[in-house]
C-alpha cells in the first residue's frame, strides 16, 4: 500500500501561494510608502494654500 496523503494540504498551499502572488502585484500597483503619502499630502496642502492666497474676494455693494 502507498502512503496516504492529505490533498487539502496541497490545495491550501496552492491557494496561499496564489494569494501571496496577488498581494505582491497589488503592493506594486497600489502601495505607497508613508513618506510618499505624507509628501503628497504636503504638496496638496501647499497647492491649496497657494490657490487660496490668489483668490479675489468680491464683496457685493448695496
Amino acid at each position: 500500500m502507498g502512503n496516504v496523503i492529505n490533498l487539502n494540504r496541497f490545495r491550501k498551499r496552492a491557494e496561499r501561494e496564489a494569494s501571496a502572488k496577488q498581494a505582491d502585484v497589488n503592493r506594486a500597483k497600489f502601495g505607497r510608502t508613508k513618506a510618499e503619502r505624507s509628501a503628497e499630502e504636503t504638496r496638496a496642502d501647499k497647492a491649496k494654500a497657494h490657490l487660496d492666497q490668489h483668490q479675489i474676494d468680491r464683496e457685493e455693494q448695496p
Side-chain angles (χ1 to χ4, degrees):
M1 270 240 204
N3 292 334
V4 176
I5 59 171
N6 188 349
L7 295 178
N8 283 333
R9 181 182 300 164
F10 294 106
R11 179 184 53 83
K12 288 180 180 182
R13 182 186 301 159
E15 287 176 1
R16 279 193 302 268
E17 289 172 356
S19 176
K21 194 177 292 185
Q22 183 64 39
D24 287 339
V25 170
N26 287 344
R27 273 188 229 107
K29 192 173 182 181
F30 300 109
R32 294 188 306 168
T33 63
K34 186 174 183 177
E36 290 171 335
R37 285 192 307 266
S38 65
E40 178 66 29
E41 184 179 342
T42 302
R43 215 176 359 258
D45 290 343
K46 190 173 183 180
K48 185 179 182 310
H50 182 72
L51 187 64
D52 288 344
Q53 290 172 358
H54 288 85
Q55 184 175 2
I56 298 173
D57 293 328
R58 296 182 188 221
E59 295 180 14
E60 293 187 27
Q61 297 175 356

